[in-house]
Amino acid sequence: MSRGRTVRKNIAAGLGAAVLALGVALTAVAPSQAATTEENLPGVPAPGSPASEWETWAAQERADAEATDWKADSEARGCTLEDVTISDEVDRDYNLAMGAPADLATHRVDLLEDCGDAATAVADGAATATRSSTSGASTLALPSGNRCATTSGPGTMCLSKSSGRIYASWQYRGSGSVSGFMRIYRVSSSVSGCPTGTTWLTGASSTWSNGDTRTISKTRTSAGGYSAHIWKKVTIGHSDWGGVCSVL
C-alpha cells in the first residue's frame, strides 16, 4: 500500500561511526545474556586474519550491496521500497564480533519501506522461547528463522536473514511521529525471553510516521542467536520499546 513516494537511491560517502553519538545515556542495557564468540561463516575471513584480507572482503561486500536490486529485495519481503541508503562506517562492535580489526571500514544499508500486514505478521509472540528436550532435560531455546513480534510501543519488529544478510525492521502503527533507533544484539540461543545482549549493529537515529517501516541490514558473518530492539527517544535518553529474537 504505497503512498506514492519516489524511490531514490542515495550512496552515502565517507566514513562514519556505526555506534550513535548519543549525548545522553541509554536506559541500562545489561549484557548479562551475551552470546559467546562463534566461528565465522564460510567466505568470511577467520578471526585474526591480516588486515589486507579483511579489507578485500569488506570491499567486495560493499560492491555487492551497490549491485543489489533493493527494490526487488523489498518486494521479496512483501514491502515497497521508498528509499535506500548505503553508508560506509567503522563499526567497532560489528568488527570485534567477527574478529576483524577494530578500524575496518564496512557498510550498512538503511531502507525506508511501506510494508503490508502480511509482511509483518506476528509469528507467536515477542520472544516466546520454545522448549526442547536434550537427554531428558527440558531447556529453553530461542525459535529459529525469520520472525516478527508486536512491541510494547505501537508497532511490529521483524528480524530475518536473506542473501547473506541480517535485517531488522520496525513498523510504526501509532499516531503522530516518533524518533529513535534500532539495535541488533548477539544473544545466547538458550536465553529465556528476548533480552538485549552484546551489541552487534546500531542503526542511525531516525523518525517514523504512522505506517513507516525502517529497516537496517548488514552482512551476516556468523550463525547463532540474535535480538533486535527499537529504542525510542524520550526526554532524557532512550526507552526500550521491545523487540524480537531468533536463531539465524
Side-chain angles (χ1 to χ4, degrees), residues 15-34:
L15 300 179
V19 178
L20 297 174
L22 298 175
V24 291
L26 294 176
T27 302
V29 178
S32 58
Q33 302 195 60

Side-chain angles (χ1 to χ4, degrees), residues 14-73:
L15 300 179
V19 178
L20 297 174
L22 298 175
V24 291
L26 294 176
T27 302
V29 178
S32 58
Q33 302 195 60
T36 57
T37 302
E38 299 180 30
E39 292 184 1
N40 289 340
L41 295 170
V44 181
S49 294
S52 59
E53 187 174 342
W54 282 108
E55 290 165 1
T56 298
W57 171 82
Q60 183 59 56
E61 291 299 305
R62 170 62 189 254
D64 290 345
E66 291 182 354
T68 296
D69 183 343
W70 291 103
K71 181 178 179 180
D73 181 87

Side-chain angles (χ1 to χ4, degrees), residues 166-230:
I166 285 181
Y167 298 78
S169 64
W170 187 62
Q171 183 183 68
Y172 177 53
R173 299 176 183 274
S175 59
S177 63
V178 296
S179 296
F181 65 92
M182 289 178 285
R183 180 170 283 170
I184 302 176
Y185 303 88
R186 290 304 313 272
V187 296
S188 169
S189 59
S190 61
V191 297
S192 174
C194 187
T196 57
T198 300
T199 298
W200 185 75
L201 174 65
T202 300
S205 180
S206 304
T207 298
W208 284 256
S209 297
N210 177 267
D212 282 347
T213 298
R214 291 192 179 275
T215 300
I216 55 175
S217 176
K218 194 87 173 175
T219 300
R220 176 174 171 261
T221 59
S222 63
Y226 291 84
S227 73
H229 284 243
I230 174 67

